[in-house]
Amino acid sequence: MAKSEILDALPGAKRKTIAHEEDGVWRVESRQDCEHIVKAAKIMSEMPQSKDFKLAAVIPETVLNQAFLEGWFHDKAKWREWANDPQNREFRVWPGRL
């Protein structure tokens, strides 16, 4: 029988972490409402960018956690892949390809 437990719930961050157990195997899942992050990215994308520094994207906390857990936080190629993925275009601030 499967069971789930909420491990963490942060209403201000609009994020919760849930543990699922099924057949003796545990899985931890993070969920985050990213609507406010997407709105911020849209606003920032309409602002002029500096010549010296271009913000490419805003990153949800759940994606940062995933990068840490899966070991690709310091992998520039993996971040480039994430930023250029069409599924993540709402988080993009700068329209160019990385």
Side-chain angles (χ1 to χ4, degrees), residues 7-27:
L7 298 177
D8 185 22
L10 298 172
K14 298 184 179 183
R15 178 180 61 82
K16 64 182 170 182
T17 306
I18 306 163
H20 303 279
E21 186 269 330
E22 187 170 356
D23 298 329
V25 177
W26 283 91
R27 185 171 50 91

Side-chain angles (χ1 to χ4, degrees), residues 69-92:
L69 289 170
E70 294 176 0
W72 53 271
F73 180 77
H74 296 288
D75 186 344
K76 290 181 183 180
K78 183 69 174 172
W79 280 114
R80 192 175 301 115
E81 179 185 324
W82 180 87
N84 290 324
D85 185 335
Q87 288 183 329
N88 301 322
R89 77 175 179 276
E90 292 181 323
F91 300 107
R92 291 295 303 266

Side-chain angles (χ1 to χ4, degrees), residues 41 49 53-58 82-83 89 91-96 98:
Q49 295 260 350
F53 177 80
K54 289 188 180 5
L55 178 63
V58 291
W82 180 87
R89 77 175 179 276
F91 300 107
R92 291 295 303 266
V93 174
W94 180 61
L98 301 178

Side-chain angles (χ1 to χ4, degrees), residues 28-41:
V28 177
E29 171 188 11
S30 288
R31 295 181 186 173
Q32 183 176 13
D33 177 6
C34 295
E35 185 178 335
H36 63 293
I37 297 171
V38 170
K39 285 180 184 178

Side-chain angles (χ1 to χ4, degrees), residues 35-73:
E35 185 178 335
H36 63 293
I37 297 171
V38 170
K39 285 180 184 178
K42 181 167 176 37
I43 290 168
M44 287 188 279
S45 71
E46 295 168 354
M47 297 172 71
Q49 295 260 350
S50 164
K51 291 188 299 185
D52 301 322
F53 177 80
K54 289 188 180 5
L55 178 63
V58 291
I59 302 166
E61 188 176 348
T62 53
V63 175
L64 283 175
N65 290 342
Q66 177 185 3
F68 279 120
L69 289 170
E70 294 176 0
W72 53 271
F73 180 77

